[in-house]
Each structure stands twice: as structure tokens, then as C-alpha cells.
Amino acid sequence: MKGGAAPASNKAAMDARTLVAHVLAVAAIVLVLLWCIHFRGGLALRSQDKPLIFNVHPVLMVLGPIVLAGEAILSYRSLPLARDARKKVHLALHAAGLAGGVLGVYAVFKFHVESGIPNLYSLHSWVGIATVTLYGLQWTAGFLTYFFPGASPTTRRRTLPWHAVFGLLIFVLAVGTAQLGFLEKLTFMQGQPLRLPKYGAEALLINFTAVVVLLLGVAVVLATVNIDGTREGELPQRQRRERSCMDGQPGGKGGASAVAAPSRCMDERVEEEPRRRGRRGKRW
């Protein structure tokens, strides 16, 4: 009974963290759209009003490398689908996130060129270009290794942990880049010629949006990593053996070396049953 309660509680906690991440993702999109449409006048890739071109940039950079990328990360663990289906959803969401990031970078370059502003002069722009580049390389490597043409099972098994770690690091880098972007834009707007009030509604909205994006990044990381405090060495011997047996079942994580695990585990259960009966007999 106790052995089944812990996995159930862990699953409930993960579901709660995933739900919080989904809510924060929706809130981040709503807030950045509210800022760019209500306070900044709207979005346009072609316009005589050049700031409208810039407005495309923060919307797509939040939507693409942060919201869609976060949903892609969560989908691989949280969607109640078959593994192949989850893998395709994961791939498609990351492709959409990457496309949004590339288009967002294009929008800000277009705005700078048409407004006579130099490119790539700030830390935000340097880290942003590096993040989108790494995102593209990560997606390409994942596509070639796990989707088409696909590497050998051994290679996929060995590279999967690194793929997951690098993907999460790139996501964290995207969230950090967004923080730099919000800070840079707000600093510019509070100077000449706009002189945006430091405690005005727009300034507070920008800061609040940045906080929500930061919390979204934290929520995605917490929903992805395993924060169960129980170490493998601290588990009871029987529970460790049952977990090892489960790893050898179809869908388990035992790999090729666990092919013989089911029969081995059945033998261990058969051998242990008389011992359990003997212990019960002694108690009586």
C-alpha cells in the first residue's frame, strides 16, 4: 500500500506543476499581447509606423522559444499519448517555436534597418542570437537522431540524456534573454524622447510580464526534472528488485540488457513465495 502511494503522490505533484506551467504560459502571451497592442499600438511586419514592426519581436520571442518550447518540453512527459505520438508532438511544437524565434529575430533586424538603428550592439542581442542558433542546432540534431533518418538504438539511448539537458539549458537561456530584453526596452522607453513614467501602468505591465515569464521558466523546469528525494539506495530491497523488473517490461527503461528480466523476476517471485508463507506460519 505504501509502495503505491508514493508514485501516485509524485504523479499528482507533477500534474500540479504542469498545470501551473500551462496557466503561466497563457498569462505570458496575454500580457505581452496586451502590452504590444493596447499600449504600443499593434503589430505589423510592414508599416510606415516603424515601432509596429518592432512589436512583432517581443510577441514572437515569448510565443516561440519560451511558450511553445516550454509546451514541447512538457508534452514529452505529460501528454497521455503513445510514445511515438508524444515524440511527434514534441518535434512539431519545437519546430513552431523555432520558426517563431527566427521570425522574431527577422522583425527586430527589419525594424533596426528601416529605422537607422545599429544591430547587435547590446548584450540582449548577442545572447539572443546565440540562443536562437543553439535552438536551431538542437532541433536539427534531435530530428536527425530521433526522427529521420534516425541513429542506432544504442546511440539514441546514450545521447538522450544529453539531448534533454541541453534542451532545458537552451530554454533557460531563452527565458534569461527575455529578461534582458524587457529590461533593455523599458530602460529605452523611460529615457528620451518617450520619458515613460517609472511607476506608470505600462512600466508596471512590462515588469509584471517579465516576472510571469520568469515564473513560467521556473515552472517548466520544476515540472520536467525529477525532484523525488528518495534515492535508489534508500529503497527497500524488494522495491528495488520490483523496479528493476519493471524496467525490463515493454515500455520500461532497461534497454537491451533487460531482455531476460521478466523471466528472472518471475523466478525470484516463485522462490520468495514459500519464504513468505513460512514467515506467516511462524507468526501463527
Side-chain angles (χ1 to χ4, degrees):
M1 189 70 177
K2 293 181 180 179
S9 63
N10 290 340
K11 185 178 185 302
M14 180 170 289
D15 290 342
R17 297 194 298 267
T18 302
L19 178 61
V20 169
H22 291 325
V23 172
L24 289 171
V26 174
I29 288 297
V30 170
L31 290 174
V32 75
L33 284 173
L34 177 64
W35 171 41
C36 291
I37 295 175
H38 178 70
F39 286 95
R40 294 287 95 203
L43 312 170
L45 276 176
R46 291 184 180 181
S47 177
Q48 295 300 318
D49 188 3
K50 301 308 177 185
L52 297 185
I53 300 176
F54 173 84
N55 292 347
V56 176
H57 174 71
V59 171
L60 289 181
M61 299 314 287
V62 170
L63 176 63
I66 296 177
V67 170
L68 288 177
E71 292 296 323
I73 293 170
L74 295 174
S75 69
Y76 203 76
R77 288 174 175 258
S78 62
L79 286 182
L81 301 174
R83 184 174 179 275
D84 286 343
R86 283 186 284 118
K87 186 166 68 173
K88 291 176 181 177
V89 171
H90 179 78
L91 180 75
L93 286 174
H94 270 312
L98 178 60
V102 171
L103 188 57
V105 170
Y106 166 77
V108 75
F109 270 87
K110 189 175 190 293
F111 165 71
H112 280 193
V113 170
E114 295 184 6
S115 302
I117 302 174
N119 286 307
L120 299 175
Y121 62 86
S122 66
L123 178 62
H124 168 66
S125 62
W126 293 1
V127 179
I129 289 295
T131 301
V132 173
T133 302
L134 290 173
Y135 194 9
L137 292 174
Q138 169 82 351
W139 187 88
T140 303
F143 181 87
L144 295 177
T145 304
Y146 305 106
F147 193 73
F148 182 82
S152 66
T154 301
T155 301
R156 282 182 288 176
R157 187 167 57 251
R158 290 177 178 175
T159 58
L160 184 58
W162 294 104
H163 176 75
V165 168
F166 282 130
L168 202 58
L169 288 177
I170 292 169
F171 173 76
V172 170
L173 195 58
V175 172
T177 305
Q179 303 304 303
L180 290 173
F182 285 122
L183 176 61
E184 181 181 295
K185 184 62 176 177
L186 183 57
T187 302
F188 287 162
M189 292 171 61
Q190 289 175 339
Q192 295 285 358
L194 295 178
R195 289 192 173 276
L196 190 72
K198 287 182 170 55
Y199 297 100
E202 185 173 0
L204 293 176
L205 175 63
I206 295 172
N207 282 333
F208 190 69
T209 304
V211 170
V212 169
V213 170
L214 180 61
L215 292 176
L216 169 59
V218 173
V220 170
V221 172
L222 291 180
T224 303
V225 299
N226 181 14
I227 57 175
D228 181 10
T230 305
R231 297 181 181 178
E232 187 72 19
E234 297 172 351
L235 293 174
Q237 182 178 0
R238 183 182 174 189
Q239 188 173 349
R240 289 202 305 271
R241 185 164 61 248
E242 289 178 352
R243 176 177 292 187
S244 175
C245 294
M246 289 301 296
D247 288 347
Q249 301 294 331
K253 57 184 180 180
S257 61
V259 173
S263 59
R264 173 175 54 82
C265 295
M266 182 62 69
D267 293 341
E268 291 178 356
R269 289 170 187 151
V270 171
E271 292 174 0
E272 188 172 344
E273 184 62 26
R275 288 197 294 269
R276 285 203 301 270
R277 291 177 180 174
R279 286 194 294 268
R280 285 197 296 266
K282 290 179 181 179
R283 283 196 292 268
W284 287 106

